[in-house]
Amino acid sequence: MAVAPLTETVLRMRGIQKSFLGVRVLHGVDLELRAGEVHALMGENGAGKSTLMKVLAGVHHAEAGTIELDGREVTFAHPLQAQQAGVSTVFQEFNLLPERTVAENVFLGREPRRRGLVDADRMNADTAALLRDLGLESISPQRRVRTLSVAGQQIVEIVKALSYDARIISMDEPTAALAEEEVELLYGLVRTLRERGMAILYVSHRLKEIFDLSDRVTVLKDGALVDTVPTADITPDELVRKMVGRPITSFFPEKLPDTVTGEVRLRISGGGNEQLDGIDLEVRAGEIVTLAGLQGSGRTEIAHALFGVARFTRGTIEVDGKRVSPRSARQAVRAGLALVTEDRKAEGLALNQSVTANARLVLDAVLPRQSSRKARQIPGILSSLELVSRGGDQEVRFLSGGNQQKVVLAKWLAADPAVIVLDEPTRGIDVGAKQKVYTLMRELSARGVAILMISSELQEVIGMADRIVVLRDGRIAGELPAGADEEAVMQVATGQVTS
Amino acid sequence: MTTVDRRGLGGRLGSTELVYLALLGVLVIGAVLVAVDGGNLFGTANLVDMLTRSSLLGFVALGQTFVILCGSLDLSVGYVMALCSLVGATTMAGDPAKVPLGIAAVLVVAAGIGLLNGLIVSVLKVNPFIATLGMGLIIKGYLDTNYKGPAGAVPSSFQQFGYSRIGFLPVSTAVMLIAVVLGILYLRRTRTGFHMFAVGGSQDVARLSGIRTGRVLVTAHVLCSVAAGVAGLLIAARFGTGSALVYGSGYDLDSIAAVVLGGTLLMGGRGGIAGTLAGVLILAVLDTVFNILQVDPFFKDVLRGVVIIAAVAIYARRQIDRRASRPRFGPDGNGGPPGPPRDPAPDEPVPAGRGADR
Amino acid sequence: TDAPTDQPPGGGGETEQEQSADGEWFVKAEYDRQLAQRDEEPQGPADQPWLQMIEPELVDTAEYKQDGKTLCFSNASVSNPWRVTGFITMQQQVEVLKQAGEISDFRVSDAGDDDNQQISDIQAFVDAGDCNAIIISPSTTATLTPAVETACESGVPVIVFDRGVNSDCMVTFIHPIGGYAYGADAAEFLVEKLEPGSKVLALRILPGVDVLEHRWAAAQQIFGDSDLEVLGDEFTGGDGAKIKDIVTQYLQRGDVDGIWMDAGDGAVAAVEAFEDAGKDYPVMAGEDELSFMRKWKDTGMTAIAPVYSNFQWRTPVLAAVKIWKGEQVPSEWVLPQEPITDADRDEFLERNKDMPSLHYAKFGGEDLPGFPNAWKDR
Amino acid sequence: MTTTAPEETKPGRPAAAAAARLFGGGSATVFALLVLVFVAILFLNPSFFEPPSLMAFAKKAAPLVILAVGQYFVIVCGELDLSVGSLVGAQVVIAAAVIDGEEGRTVPVLLLMLAFGVLVGLVNGLVVTVLKVHSLIATLGMMLVLYGAIRLWTGGAPTGALSDGFRQAGREGIDMPVLRQLPWALLVAAAVVVAAVVFMRKPFGRTLIAAGDNERAAAFSGVRVWWVRTAAFVLSSVLATLAGVLIGGYAGVTAQVGEGLEFTAITAVVLGGVVLGGGRGTVLAAMAGALTVEALFTLFNQLSMPSTIRPTVQGLIIVAAVAWAARERRGPFLPKS
Ligand SMILES: Nc1ncnc2c1ncn2[C@@H]1O[C@H](COP(=O)(O)OP(=O)(O)OP(=O)(O)O)[C@@H](O)[C@H]1O
Ligand SMILES: Nc1ncnc2c1ncn2[C@@H]1O[C@H](COP(=O)(O)OP(=O)(O)OP(=O)(O)O)[C@@H](O)[C@H]1O
Ligand SMILES: [Mg+2]
Ligand SMILES: [Mg+2]
């Protein structure tokens, strides 16, 4: 455990409040950063970590509260101002231009100039130097970002943030897309920066990282500050309790008593394509199988293969014993599959359309003739999901994330699928909504629907699973029973053991 | 380190190279056809013809490239050309001493229109298609009301711009090529040039990187109008006078076609002026070849339409192939929504309808 | 270089100063001249009006005498029925001369109404160097002047027809009497047939085209001296739907007694507007376009068909052959231009009875071997 | 905010909800403008509102309304159709050339035109969806091809003549008292608008608008996006064909028929608050946009505004109206509960 020279406070945020569309997501949060410390920010999904970072980055404006830099109060009207003040940010979402080179992305907005013209050589050289700092000589500054892998792109983002002469760097889940060696690189880098006296605000869901790296940790829950403590003074268990507010076990609903595990409803045998290989997977009626794995391990790829987006070039898919080879989402839906996509806004909802229109979309697309008849049950489904809205005419873009997710669920439930695949179904939704989703999964399962859930949240993976299938590098690395512990899952996922 | 590189073989050939390959193809096929017809496509006369034809569209398409790169569009260029030819010719009024004044007047007028276009698009948030269509109508009304035909006179010294040539290279084409080189340098060597790609690629990414997207957009529109203004000057030099009727010659849609033919993405963010030049040359070569082969003028339109669609379809095809099964950055075909989760700009609702709207 | 020689802008041709300095289109001298030419007896064979000439000043063409037989034609466009009809006539004439061995090769480039394109086209002919004569039908008068001058300088005989250019460098400039005469024919008819105080609506195609502007300028002159009231002048783009809409709107606001048009395109739509509104037919000046003439006959309305002689498309080809032979041609070849009236309407309709409706009665190709199929099944 | 099922709130205020749907999202501007223009015309010339004049207006406006509805389908699913103007021209020319004045050919030719319209729409749609060519380029190419091909075929200028039967729809109507004549064109346009409104409320219409709003979400929900878009292009071409029948009927054949209509139609649709890029806007608003454009032309005429200055005024009004609508969209949107 590194002991940092705890010196002067460089940043003090006080009483930060922020609402979106009338829903408060930060309730007066305080945060203090010191030079030369790594300050971890923890909290569940939707706790408000990213929002707090964006307030600091000048992306969002707080409705109340102050930000002090070196004791002087500042307001950032624009991200540029934050950057100029020495605060730079690696955002959770990708913020790169795919068509531009690495160097151009890194120096976007402040390209070095010589005699008025952009000095491309210097830009490339500087980028190369930054990359060398990270030990990433293999990435050429002149590569187009779109030709990089997701991990490569993530690295570019970090390099970009580092390239500002920042005194404060905040990183929102920087390791999310990184492989193990890359994470080590990043650690090294963060430690170097700390030694240079920078203040680092570090968001991660990985407990191990927090304890490896951070000096202090601040915990947020539901947009409110729970506590800020030196990392050395807290155990992982205590930290989790602070985050969740209660023992984790009670968070996931029990399997309903009348659930019967029945016939195999979904079977993938020997599935493979460019990214996947040897995928053998079965989900039975009344069973919830969770797919675990690091980001990029190929979980979403499986969902997409089932949906004909990225087809299996090898192997077979059976739904209720019938061979299907979906060449489009439409065929998959007709075969009885449903997919709650991982990216709600880009893939799940037509944001400018009403709640009703979205909820009817699957029916309209696949069963146009029965659509009006079947749509009659939609209000019932929506109210059983306890949707909070101003009515069926409200456009979904005005709903909160959790409620948007409920609309997505409703559109699938209306089509009565045999198998539901949920890809990160609780991403970005609040605790209450999460539990709603979990309960619903249990209910569906009890009705005999086969459920395949993909999640990056280990607690969820473990808490909801009847079986856990772990993926690594596009292959099934192992299968664990319900109740396996996080450590075990991570070990399989990272390849430290094969079970 | 797992997979930093996922560049396939197909990706090695840049899109600009592909466009030049297409140009080469058109040249070869054209030369063969002309040779069969008993001519020589590369004879001085034909060469001069091709180059001359490319100069006027070259200026307009050059300007259009800037706005399209920014994800915008300019349908008013034809009207700007017409207006500028008149402003130039009437200001010069046949007096060689007034040539600089005429040029200055044209540049000011053109820049002013570009400024207005840019402001309407970036500040008033009017879709560029409608904004520039409206601007075109506004100018058209002014022209129709105030110029009942050709007006003004260009001194013969300035007519050299339209007629003289160095060897087989017409001066106007030479100037156009210089402008193209300057344009390429501008895009590759200035900050604003860099930022145009960013604004066209993603307004949000650009804004988060501290780029003042509005200014960039306005700059692009000003450059576009100025380029159209220079084309207007060239018109004046070639006509010896200014002519309002130029706006009916379809330079607006032609220039967009040339830019897209040159491999620039209509939605912005990728492409460049080198490609546009090739696009312009392809159209000029086609015109010359059709002319030599005495192709029926209406059949010319049919062929042009087919060539434009086919070329763009080939580019699109390539992009699909090259794209991995799951795009990290959303589809770059037509009308797709912006890719993965993007963060809305500071406290603004997600900008809707950016995309296929041009 | 290809640059035109240093010359005061505007050249010095007979068509010079067609447009006065303030951008208005009325030039009194030219107007008077054209109006007078209408009464002039043209020289030449009466049954071949395309060979007739008014007040010719013959020039010697011996310097152009040659054996070469490649004829090049830079056409402004074939974008309207008048030009389509004329171009077919020209091609048929060329066919005849080819058969006779007078022309070996006829090369055409079409500029699609784009002045700049036409300048390039002309330049391409000049640069190619193998044209024995260049015929130019300029798309706009003023703008093509430099290009035509360039062509003249190359030493090839240049023939300009239809619209002129501001230069007299070409060997001959072929045209019917002109726009003033056309506009005056129509306007005078309206003045004659309508009661004083009657209301006239002027329908025009588009602004800024010299031949059309001249027609309107002459009409304004004549209406100005009359007791007719001009309700307005509207640009229609020659689009029937627009014409009908505009006339309907005028009718809805009050009576319209006469229609003056600067070209006959869509004249029928204007007449129909009266029919559909249940109004009496106006006194109408259309053009020798057949759809209008047929409507005129069917309805028995009072009308005139001013003519912008379509047969002029034959003349330049014949002129080129003359020039190659060293025969004299007029430096300005003014062709007759006589409106069709009630008196000869039926005769022209009879002659053209197989022709499509967008065809021009005085196309003058009845004696060519391709008649009538070349025009009918184009 | 209350937790309610949508069903419970809906019946409470159907009128308000309908009004909100109609006037929301930038469409209010066009209705306001339409009323304003009509009031101005009324002020200048009350006789415009006598039934026969209104019927004449309707007859003239009908084709643009139909074109705007067709363009609406394409725009709302995220595309653009520049080929409608030259398609109208091509259809009229085809009709005249093939009918050649013979009454008996009217119906077969109408069928031929329909088939041609469907073909053009299919090609547009497939080039856009399968070949992935941006619709602006695809339909620009189609515009050139149609323009050239039709003139190539007819030797440069239209030939033949339309039959009286063909011209009925665009020119005639049902004679009746008061109105003098109820134009067929008005009935056709009204039928098209009603059918389009109904269509957009059917499953297919909803998938169309969803595909325009979010292509990927629609695809993941099982929408055949390529087919939906292609269908939109086919609808646009078929409606352009219908507009061609009316325009040809209204005024007969001229060489210029159809020229520039694509831009007028797009302008009308955008003026109606339908967002280029897809996913937003209503059929009624598009119709209102078309009526507004036509009413503007009428107003200019009533004002005796010089012919030449009209484009300027038109341009100013369009830009101002669209800017105004955009301003409304940017403003606070959530109704207070
Ligand atoms: N632009 C926005 N508009 C509306 N709501 C938002 C917006 N950004 C965030 N929210 C909401 O604010 C809450 C906090 O989100 P935030 O992204 O800060 O959470 P987080 O702690 O970073 O979660 P995660 O661990 O999933 O990244 C969530 O309920 C989210 O849906
Ligand atoms: N656009 C892309 N092009 C090429 N390869 C990609 C693309 N996106 C992801 N990949 C690769 O595909 C593989 C599987 O990724 P996938 O996103 O399916 O994994 P995942 O476990 O679902 O991760 P995530 O948590 O990001 O959804 C990884 O190797 C990843 O790098
Ligand atoms: Mg976050
Ligand atoms: Mg995933």
Side-chain angles (χ1 to χ4, degrees), chain A residues 30-69:
Chain A
D30 300 335
L31 182 76
E32 193 190 277
L33 288 188
R34 297 174 189 157
E37 78 162 337
V38 174
H39 193 120
L41 190 57
M42 290 221 71
E44 293 180 292
N45 283 135
K49 307 178 295 289
S50 299
T51 307
L52 185 63
M53 275 196 166
K54 284 181 187 166
V55 169
L56 176 59
V59 175
H60 293 325
H61 310 289
E63 289 130 24
T66 56
I67 305 176
E68 277 174 28
L69 269 182

Side-chain angles (χ1 to χ4, degrees), chain A residues 275 294-301 342, chain B residues 6 324 326-328:
Chain A
Q275 257 113 43
L294 296 180
Q295 293 237 352
S297 56
R299 298 160 303 171
T300 300
E301 191 77 14
E342 66 180 330
Chain B
R6 51 162 233 258
R326 190 156 70 99
R328 172 84 240 180

Side-chain angles (χ1 to χ4, degrees), chain C residues 25 61 67 119 131 158 177 245 253-254 289 293 327 344 351 366:
Chain C
W25 287 97
T61 62
D67 295 331
I119 292 173
C131 296
V158 173
I177 296 172
D245 178 40
R253 282 194 286 164
E289 189 221 36
M293 290 183 49
E327 291 172 19
D344 51 1
R351 275 209 243 167
E366 294 90 336

Side-chain angles (χ1 to χ4, degrees), chain A residues 11-42:
Chain A
L11 172 81
R12 187 171 279 132
M13 299 175 83
R14 281 214 194 98
I16 302 293
Q17 280 186 16
K18 175 73 195 169
S19 321
F20 290 110
L21 306 168
V23 180
R24 172 133 337 146
V25 297
L26 290 178
H27 308 263
V29 175
D30 300 335
L31 182 76
E32 193 190 277
L33 288 188
R34 297 174 189 157
E37 78 162 337
V38 174
H39 193 120
L41 190 57
M42 290 221 71

Side-chain angles (χ1 to χ4, degrees), chain A residues 18 54 59 78 83 94-95 97 99-100 104 111 117-118 147-149 153 160 181-182 304 342-343, chain B residues 1 3-4 6 189-191 194-195 197-198 207-210 270 326 328-329 339 341 343 346-347:
Chain A
K18 175 73 195 169
K54 284 181 187 166
V59 175
H78 194 276
Q83 284 159 10
F94 274 75
N95 264 301
L97 299 168
E99 300 296 343
R100 305 294 278 165
E104 284 162 353
E111 295 78 5
L117 297 180
V118 172
T147 66
L148 295 173
S149 68
Q153 293 173 2
K160 177 175 173 179
E181 321 91 274
E182 293 160 345
H304 282 187
E342 66 180 330
D343 186 339
Chain B
M1 173 113 219
T3 45
V4 170
R6 51 162 233 258
R189 284 283 171 273
T190 69
R191 280 195 184 171
F194 270 61
H195 298 170
F197 289 95
R207 216 177 278 125
L208 283 180
S209 301
R270 192 182 70 214
R326 190 156 70 99
R328 172 84 240 180
F329 288 101
D343 215 53
D347 282 356

